[in-house]
């Protein structure tokens, strides 16, 4: 069922492995694969629960424009690779280089900045909620705002997305189910991990 990794790999811990041949002991192969996955997931879970890293892992995947997002999805969808811990830590180090304050602000707040100069800050506010009515939303919209790479998180918080020097946020953004929608206001966006805004 390899399509599961593509369709659900951003939300659940789904992994591909080579089916054992008839000459191999199936129990031993499965036990070995599960042991690798669980060891790697334990390492990932330790990083995910650390608040300074969670805001990286929870970034909206469709709207944070950076090659590191592609790399994060690749690494976290294959926890069976040999140097998983080293790969995750290298990715987090690269992502932390994207953390910076706004140049035109007197506040020392640090943001994750993408290649299109959008500044993402996971806020503590709970004044908005991601919509879940079906349609237009679907089950994946709901799951993607509560699960990332097999780890549950609090989906009631969102990112404040803005630009430096009060540059307008008007534009077209992709929502949680892949539809391009317009944000017509100059001010910041409230964007959830699922990409709902």
């Amino acid at each position: 069922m390899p399509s599961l990794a593509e369709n659900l790999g951003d939300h659940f811990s789904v992994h591909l492995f080579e089916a054992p041949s008839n000459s191999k002991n199936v129990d031993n192969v499965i036990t070995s694969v599960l042991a690798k996955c669980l060891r790697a997931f334990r390492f990932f879970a330790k990083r995910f629960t650390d608040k300074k890293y969670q805001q990286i892992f929870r970034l909206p995947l469709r709207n944070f424009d950076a090659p590191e997002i592609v790399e994060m999805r690749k690494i976290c969808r294959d926890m069976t690779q040999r140097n998983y811990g080293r790969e995750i830590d290298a990715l987090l180090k690269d992502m932390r280089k994207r953390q910076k304050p706004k140049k035109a602000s007197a506040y020392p707040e640090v943001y994750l900045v993408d290649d299109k100069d959008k500044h993402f800050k996971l806020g503590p506010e709970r004044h908005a909620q991601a919509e879940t009515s079906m349609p237009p939303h679907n089950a994946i919209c709901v799951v993607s705002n509560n699960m990332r790479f097999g780890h549950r998180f609090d989906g009631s918080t969102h990112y404040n997305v803005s630009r430096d020097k009060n540059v307008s946020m008007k534009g077209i953004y992709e929502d949680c189910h892949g539809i391009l929608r317009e944000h017509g206001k100059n001010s910041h966006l409230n964007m959830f991990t699922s990409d709902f805004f």
Side-chain angles (χ1 to χ4, degrees):
M1 300 168 64
S3 62
L4 277 180
E6 184 56 38
N7 296 329
L8 301 175
D10 292 334
H11 320 300
F12 301 107
S13 188
V14 179
H15 309 283
L16 297 175
F17 64 94
E18 197 67 38
S21 65
N22 290 336
S23 62
K24 292 186 177 177
N25 182 322
V26 175
D27 288 347
N28 289 347
V29 172
I30 300 294
T31 300
S32 172
V33 169
L34 284 174
K36 257 189 209 174
C37 288
L38 290 171
R39 213 172 20 251
F41 187 78
R42 188 170 48 239
F43 184 91
F44 169 76
K46 199 184 276 188
R47 295 295 184 269
F48 191 94
T49 53
D50 186 326
K51 294 289 183 201
K52 71 177 176 260
Y53 296 134
Q54 188 176 121
Q55 69 172 332
I56 292 170
F57 287 121
R58 281 188 54 189
L59 281 165
L61 298 174
R62 291 179 168 104
N63 288 290
F64 190 87
D65 298 294
E68 291 91 340
I69 288 292
V70 175
E71 187 63 18
M72 179 170 72
R73 292 172 97 176
K74 187 176 124 193
I75 293 168
C76 292
R77 286 171 166 213
D78 184 10
M79 292 187 180
T80 59
Q81 55 195 313
R82 247 190 358 238
N83 297 317
Y84 181 76
R86 198 175 313 146
E87 298 249 349
I88 281 286
D89 283 345
L91 168 79
L92 291 170
K93 185 179 177 186
D94 289 344
M95 285 297 286
R96 293 199 68 188
K97 289 176 188 168
R98 289 184 169 276
Q99 292 180 309
K100 46 190 104 163
K102 287 184 176 177
K103 294 173 192 156
S105 174
Y107 299 104
E109 285 191 279
V110 176
Y111 299 81
L112 284 156
V113 184
D114 75 1
D115 288 349
K116 294 190 176 170
D117 204 38
K118 295 191 302 286
H119 289 58
F120 289 72
K121 174 85 176 153
L122 187 59
E125 310 94 345
R126 296 170 192 273
H127 57 74
Q129 285 189 335
E131 285 180 14
T132 57
S133 57
M134 296 181 208
H137 300 282
N138 57 51
I140 295 296
C141 296
V142 177
V143 169
S144 65
N145 203 50
N146 292 289
M147 298 286 293
R148 178 61 60 84
F149 305 129
H151 208 290
R152 190 169 177 77
F153 60 86
D154 179 5
S156 65
T157 57
H158 61 266
Y159 287 86
N160 296 309
V161 187
S162 57
R163 296 190 195 277
D164 206 356
K165 301 176 184 171
N166 294 322
V167 173
S168 173
M169 285 304 297
K170 277 185 182 177
I172 307 288
Y173 303 93
E174 196 172 347
D175 71 8
C176 52
H177 46 282
I179 304 296
L180 294 173
R181 287 181 39 221
E182 186 175 3
H183 175 68
K185 297 178 182 174
N186 288 323
S187 62
H188 76 284
L189 274 155
N190 291 335
M191 187 173 284
F192 290 84
T193 297
S194 65
D195 289 281
F196 174 79
F197 63 95

